Amino acid sequence: MSVLFVIVFLVSPIASAKEAPLVSIPSHDKFFDNIAKHCGKAYQGKVTVDNAPSSSFSDKKLIMHIRKCDERQLQVPFHVGDDASRTWLITKTGSGLSLKHDHRHEDGSSDQSTMYGGHTIDAGWPNMQSFPADQYSKELFIKQAIPQSVGNTWQMYIYPDTFSYRLIRQGREFRVDFDLTKPIDIPKAPWGYR
């Protein structure tokens, strides 16, 4: 009886069903592809806007590395000097694009403030997408006693010569621009990645 069940299960339509397609819209696809064109390259950047200057970024070399790309996700480490704790994860979700900030300690373990970010809520443009804070991030920020971050929106811009990462919320703006015309040496792997 159990052998018959196994045979029926193996030949049933459920067992042979294909994975559902990952749906997307042209502006999200084009934005994703515009970044993916730089896969394997690294670029230096500089802070161009910071209305609340942070010592963690001052006078440090800022590098983004489009390190790993597949049809669903881009992994983009953001190095701040010798600090390799940050990786941006841009992921196709089937209902838009997600941006997550994967923060790790030097031993590879996750920081308590990790995987925060947002999700697109509109079509955006092939050269720019906005990621308003998602519910996980809002609850994380409240738990960590930084409720001002609940209103965060992250934006990314990709043009032929420049990539920009921008954070905005009421009373706060921060932006780093990277020069895409001058690739630099590839940095070491970000913490927690091989």
Side-chain angles (χ1 to χ4, degrees), residues 55-152:
S55 60
S56 65
F57 289 87
S58 62
D59 301 326
K60 293 189 179 163
K61 190 173 187 179
L62 305 177
I63 297 172
M64 68 174 283
H65 174 203
I66 301 90
R67 183 172 189 268
K68 185 175 178 185
C69 310
D70 63 33
E71 65 279 354
R72 289 181 180 249
Q73 187 178 77
L74 307 174
Q75 296 178 1
V76 185
F78 174 42
H79 297 260
V80 179
D82 293 328
D83 183 338
S85 65
R86 302 167 178 86
T87 300
W88 301 322
L89 303 175
I90 304 163
T91 307
K92 291 185 178 184
T93 66
S95 60
L97 296 173
S98 166
L99 169 66
K100 290 291 185 174
H101 298 74
D102 183 1
H103 283 232
R104 307 282 184 105
H105 296 289
E106 198 163 2
D107 66 2
S109 62
S110 292
D111 190 90
Q112 68 176 9
S113 179
T114 192
M115 299 311 286
Y116 62 86
H119 197 282
T120 56
I121 57 173
D122 57 25
W125 291 272
N127 300 101
M128 187 279 245
Q129 293 292 330
S130 290
F131 305 90
D134 59 27
Q135 192 60 35
Y136 167 80
S137 303
K138 291 176 182 180
E139 292 183 24
L140 178 67
F141 296 147
I142 290 168
K143 181 180 173 184
Q144 294 180 336
I146 49 172
Q148 66 275 19
S149 295
V150 167
N152 282 3

Side-chain angles (χ1 to χ4, degrees), residues 164-178:
S164 299
Y165 168 89
R166 182 180 185 218
L167 163 68
I168 53 173
R169 67 172 176 254
Q170 187 173 1
R172 180 75 171 111
E173 182 177 5
F174 173 80
R175 179 173 169 158
V176 181
D177 293 334
F178 297 87

